[in-house]
Amino acid sequence: MVRFTVLASGSKGNCTVLSGGRTRILVDAGLSCRELFRRMKMAGEEPAALNAIVITHEHQDHVNGLAVTARKLGIPVYFTEATHRAWMRWLSPRRQMSYAQWLEMIRKQAAERQAEPAAQEDDLQVDPDEADVENSVPSAASTSSDPDLDPASDPAGGRPPSLKDEPTWLPAIEYFQAGQPFSIGDICISPFTIPHDAADPVGFVFSSEGVRLGFATDLGYIPPNVREQLRDLDLLLLESNHDLEMLRDGPYPWSVKQRVLSRVGHLSNDAASEFLAADYDGQAAYIILGHLSENNNLPELARVAAERALLGRASLLANRLLLAAQHEPLSAISF
Ligand SMILES: [Zn+2]
Ligand SMILES: [Zn+2]
């Protein structure tokens, strides 16, 4: 059985559990570990059964609980290499040191780990020529202050370094690239590039047991490569972030409004609807609208826009419209 459970969706945290065959993965870890486990239990999912975490991009609402959750469960994290680097930079306390000092610290940590025979970890070196492209600057304290991590209970039996000393340490790191499908156990994953202001953001098509699930949030618009991917799906999770008028008249500073509206920002209700009306093939049993803004959208506005776009396509068997929420899990969808 294939099962898809959105635990949280929105700018305060994104997390989805996907099961296929004997494999269970978490897509993004934007809730604190404690809240993530709480919601998994609410949704009837067992945290200890997770096999891996797959990350779309390094924005805080997608990685907030990543280090703690991966350590606690002792499971690998799948990133693109650029996303992994951006995540490490975000977590490293470089605001108190120069970039050169920070690089030196990362290298020293990597060398120390290599010197330990037990440590088998990917090389954490950073290209010193890499441009400094940090754009969403959250507080690095949020993860390091999370009280959930208890190294003594590490299921792998190892002793990971403390979160405070090495906030970027993970039990295992696997790299993937947009355009190159890969598998985790019984789940096939096709990552594709999406236009968003992160280091190397991706959407996914997951397939397992002949069921195909599309995952596209955090994108400024829907370019042809994304349209191509979002075909022949059984389920589509699509961003419907903001109502244009609410955003324009709303409380955000102009610079933030411009960012959200840009080609690397977020999809409006109108943009999601345009896709559903003009480009979507109408095949999916479920369409889930996600990443709704709490300030610049209302669930009913998003729903009405999508319903209008799907008019004539809705039936008992296809295009059932659901809205993912920020503060509670959506009921599991099974195939
Ligand atoms: Zn996001
Ligand atoms: Zn984002």
Side-chain angles (χ1 to χ4, degrees):
M1 187 169 74
V2 172
R3 198 167 63 242
F4 188 87
T5 310
V6 182
L7 299 174
S9 185
S11 59
K12 293 200 179 87
N14 293 274
C15 248
T16 295
V17 185
L18 169 57
S19 312
R22 293 151 298 161
T23 308
R24 282 181 184 75
I25 61 173
L26 194 66
V27 186
D28 286 337
L31 297 172
S32 73
C33 182
R34 179 168 295 172
E35 179 63 13
L36 171 57
F37 285 10
R38 192 182 74 84
R39 292 204 194 183
M40 283 189 75
K41 283 172 185 154
M42 274 169 77
E45 298 281 353
E46 177 49 55
L50 285 171
N51 301 107
I53 302 174
V54 183
I55 298 296
T56 57
H57 66 297
E58 75 280 12
H59 286 165
Q60 187 177 14
D61 54 318
H62 299 258
V63 297
N64 211 18
L66 174 59
V68 175
T69 306
R71 286 165 179 235
K72 191 137 188 155
L73 297 174
I75 56 177
V77 180
Y78 288 70
F79 299 95
T80 74
E81 189 172 356
T83 296
H84 178 221
R85 287 184 184 187
W87 175 76
M88 285 197 296
R89 282 185 179 195
W90 172 63
L91 275 184
S92 298
R94 55 186 286 244
R95 272 162 219 86
Q96 290 100 48
M97 60 178 88
S98 71
Y99 186 54
Q101 284 171 324
W102 177 79
L103 270 179
E104 186 54 36
M105 182 196 78
I106 292 291
R107 291 207 168 109
K108 223 171 108 205
Q109 287 175 356
E112 277 167 12
R113 273 194 304 277
Q114 272 175 5
E116 291 168 28
Q120 295 205 343
E121 206 180 333
D122 288 31
D123 184 359
L124 295 182
Q125 278 192 23
V126 175
D127 181 351
D129 293 331
E130 194 186 0
D132 187 356
V133 290
E134 207 169 69
N135 44 34
S136 92
V137 185
S139 104
S142 54
T143 305
S144 58
S145 65
D146 195 315
D148 276 337
L149 183 69
D150 174 8
S153 70
D154 171 34
R159 263 175 290 151
S162 84
L163 200 59
K164 193 160 168 285
D165 292 342
E166 288 200 44
T168 62
W169 188 91
L170 294 170
I173 296 158
E174 299 283 346
Y175 287 148
F176 64 81
Q177 287 178 22
Q180 300 199 354
F182 63 100
S183 292
I184 302 176
D186 297 326
I187 300 176
C188 243
I189 302 170
S190 291
F192 53 87
T193 295
I194 53 172
H196 189 54
D197 57 355
D200 188 16
V202 295
F204 296 111
V205 172
F206 301 99
S207 53
S208 189
E209 303 178 32
V211 176
R212 282 168 49 84
L213 310 118
F215 200 100
T217 70
D218 297 74
L219 64 175
Y221 71 107
I222 304 186
N225 80 301
V226 175
R227 283 204 296 268
E228 272 311 302
Q229 294 290 333
L230 302 182
R231 289 182 200 281
D232 293 326
L233 298 173
D234 297 288
L235 179 152
L236 169 61
L237 172 61
L238 181 67
E239 171 162 59
S240 192
N241 177 261
H242 55 274
D243 173 75
L244 286 168
E245 276 176 38
M246 283 183 74
L247 177 67
R248 285 197 186 116
D249 300 341
Y252 285 7
W254 176 236
S255 59
V256 178
K257 290 182 184 179
Q258 273 184 312
R259 200 204 127 214
V260 173
L261 286 166
S262 78
R263 300 273 277 181
V264 289
H266 290 275
L267 277 192
S268 67
N269 295 343
D270 286 356
S273 301
E274 264 169 46
F275 168 79
L276 292 174
D279 300 303
Y280 163 63
D281 65 8
Q283 299 296 305
Y286 294 93
I287 294 174
I288 305 174
L289 303 179
H291 219 300
L292 268 69
S293 168
E294 291 185 294
N295 292 309
N296 303 307
N297 209 351
L298 294 170
E300 276 319 296
L301 290 177
R303 179 187 290 281
V304 165
E307 274 174 356
R308 203 172 292 148
L310 290 167
L311 214 64
R313 287 178 164 178
S315 75
L316 286 177
L317 294 174
N319 302 309
R320 239 190 103 191
L321 192 64
L322 302 168
L323 267 68
Q326 180 70 85
H327 299 287
E328 60 190 0
L330 192 62
S331 298
I333 296 169
S334 300
F335 294 90

